[in-house]
Amino acid sequence: MGTVPNTFTDKEVNPLTSLDEWEDAVLQRYPTPESIATSKATDEYRNYDNPERDTVREFYRLNHTYQTYDFVQQKRAEFLSFNRKEMPVWEAFNFLNQLVDDSDPDTDLDQFQHLLQTAEAIRADGHPDWMVLTGLMHDMGKVLCLFGEAQWAVVGDTFPVGCPYSDKIVYPEYFKNNPDYNNPAYQTGTGIYKPNCGLRNVNLSWGHDEYVYQMMKDHLPESGLYMLRYHSFYAWHREGAYDYLLDDHDRDMLKWVKLFNPYDLYSKNPEPPDWTKLRPYYEDLVAKYLPGTLKF
């Protein structure tokens, strides 16, 4: 069984200097359109001194070693009952702000302000208000770190478990350390899945995408839910892998995932949003779609 050791060192729990260091690595792999990066050129984003940081490799070594099929089932059972906290939406943003990232080279703003900038970039381009809300909520799942989860079980490129690993996944060589790698039931043919079964029937590696999707699944249209659930599934929406798992509905919804990602990655700006002016709009928007409290 692909279980995880009960104890990790602090370095194994937090191999990255920040959660956003994972996004840094994504941006180096996938430059995105200039139009959204209004404050500086895209090649100026995520500019660390050493682009081949060992911390990112170590992050993915741990992620690919311990994200087994059994691990994903364990985490789904552990967290998707949403029985840890219940908070008003705006209190939930304050809770998320405990993850302020002092090492991010692109911004010293708190998590809520980053989410607000993402939402504002979406709104500025005239997209529907449900997509603006999707931008506002998309990183809420990172609160998993505040519940004691390791970084590699919160962020990182997601990938299917229970079927063969694609070489389009970042650092695929590290899957050789994963117990599932030697399980013929998972690594033969289409694994445990039927061909073209649809992504809704596929388990992806555990992290903030699935968590926030499950939190929001009764409150947003399906296009927004695809954005939340699959925005870190780069092997699919950027590399074209795992076509054999898709159904026609997944292929139709892919355009929404592709539309969303640049707003997340390139909307950061050193100028904080003017919350005094924006507050009435966002209070009305949240009240339109979400209940008074959220369960975590």
Side-chain angles (χ1 to χ4, degrees), residues 19-194:
L19 294 181
D20 285 338
E21 195 172 0
W22 158 61
E23 290 183 351
D24 171 19
V26 173
L27 290 173
Q28 290 179 16
R29 283 183 282 139
Y30 304 117
T32 55
E34 297 284 345
S35 59
I36 296 173
T38 57
S39 65
K40 54 185 176 181
T42 54
D43 60 5
E44 294 182 73
Y45 278 75
R46 301 308 195 193
N47 185 17
Y48 291 81
D49 291 335
N50 181 6
E52 298 295 333
R53 291 179 307 283
D54 290 340
T55 52
V56 174
R57 287 184 175 274
E58 176 62 7
F59 169 87
Y60 278 110
R61 185 189 69 81
L62 293 163
N63 176 276
H64 292 357
T65 298
Y66 295 119
Q67 287 268 5
T68 64
Y69 181 85
D70 289 342
F71 176 80
V72 171
Q73 306 316 309
Q74 172 193 331
K75 292 301 176 182
R76 290 176 65 90
E78 184 178 349
F79 284 103
L80 297 186
S81 56
F82 293 102
N83 58 3
R84 282 171 166 73
K85 275 179 95 69
E86 186 166 350
M87 296 177 282
V89 174
W90 302 107
E91 184 179 329
F93 284 120
N94 290 331
F95 184 54
L96 185 65
N97 278 346
Q98 295 179 46
L99 290 172
V100 169
D101 179 11
D102 294 331
S103 64
D104 186 351
D106 295 335
T107 182
D108 58 4
L109 305 182
D110 60 38
Q111 292 289 313
F112 174 65
Q113 289 172 314
H114 162 56
L115 295 178
L116 196 59
Q117 287 182 338
T118 303
E120 278 295 281
I122 293 169
R123 183 159 77 119
D125 281 353
H127 295 298
D129 63 355
W130 59 259
M131 185 173 169
V132 178
L133 183 62
T134 300
L136 188 69
M137 299 299 297
H138 77 277
D139 273 350
M140 183 62 73
K142 290 180 180 179
V143 300
L144 287 167
C145 280
L146 300 175
F147 296 135
E149 287 298 273
Q151 289 175 344
W152 49 263
V154 176
V155 297
D157 293 24
T158 56
F159 54 87
V161 293
C163 61
Y165 302 115
S166 169
D167 62 5
K168 299 297 185 181
I169 303 169
V170 61
Y171 298 128
E173 63 271 21
Y174 290 134
F175 285 118
K176 292 181 181 179
N177 301 326
N178 191 303
D180 290 355
Y181 184 82
N182 295 311
N183 186 335
Y186 296 152
Q187 300 303 318
T188 303
T190 58
I192 65 172
Y193 306 111
K194 294 181 179 179

Side-chain angles (χ1 to χ4, degrees), residues 156-296:
D157 293 24
T158 56
F159 54 87
V161 293
C163 61
Y165 302 115
S166 169
D167 62 5
K168 299 297 185 181
I169 303 169
V170 61
Y171 298 128
E173 63 271 21
Y174 290 134
F175 285 118
K176 292 181 181 179
N177 301 326
N178 191 303
D180 290 355
Y181 184 82
N182 295 311
N183 186 335
Y186 296 152
Q187 300 303 318
T188 303
T190 58
I192 65 172
Y193 306 111
K194 294 181 179 179
N196 306 117
C197 62
L199 289 179
R200 65 189 174 277
N201 295 309
V202 174
N203 286 283
L204 298 188
S205 53
W206 176 251
H208 76 286
D209 299 48
E210 182 67 19
Y211 184 69
V212 74
Y213 158 75
Q214 294 286 349
M215 185 187 297
M216 293 287 108
K217 67 181 181 180
D218 295 328
H219 309 301
L220 287 172
E222 190 172 17
S223 302
L225 295 176
Y226 260 74
M227 294 173 182
L228 295 178
R229 196 176 200 181
Y230 302 116
H231 69 273
S232 301
F233 189 9
Y234 286 92
W236 171 47
H237 65 74
R238 296 300 292 264
E239 300 288 355
Y242 293 103
D243 185 72
Y244 66 86
L245 294 177
L246 309 181
D247 61 14
D248 288 340
H249 187 60
D250 295 323
R251 296 184 180 96
D252 182 58
M253 299 300 286
L254 175 59
K255 61 181 178 290
W256 293 106
V257 184
K258 286 179 170 288
L259 175 64
F260 173 77
N261 273 67
Y263 291 104
D264 176 20
L265 296 179
Y266 281 112
S267 61
K268 288 185 178 180
N269 187 303
E271 292 298 320
D274 188 341
W275 179 237
T276 302
K277 293 181 179 178
L278 297 176
R279 182 170 183 167
Y281 171 81
Y282 282 98
E283 287 184 341
D284 288 345
L285 179 64
V286 166
K288 176 179 178 180
Y289 286 98
L290 300 183
T293 61
L294 294 177
K295 293 181 179 180
F296 293 84

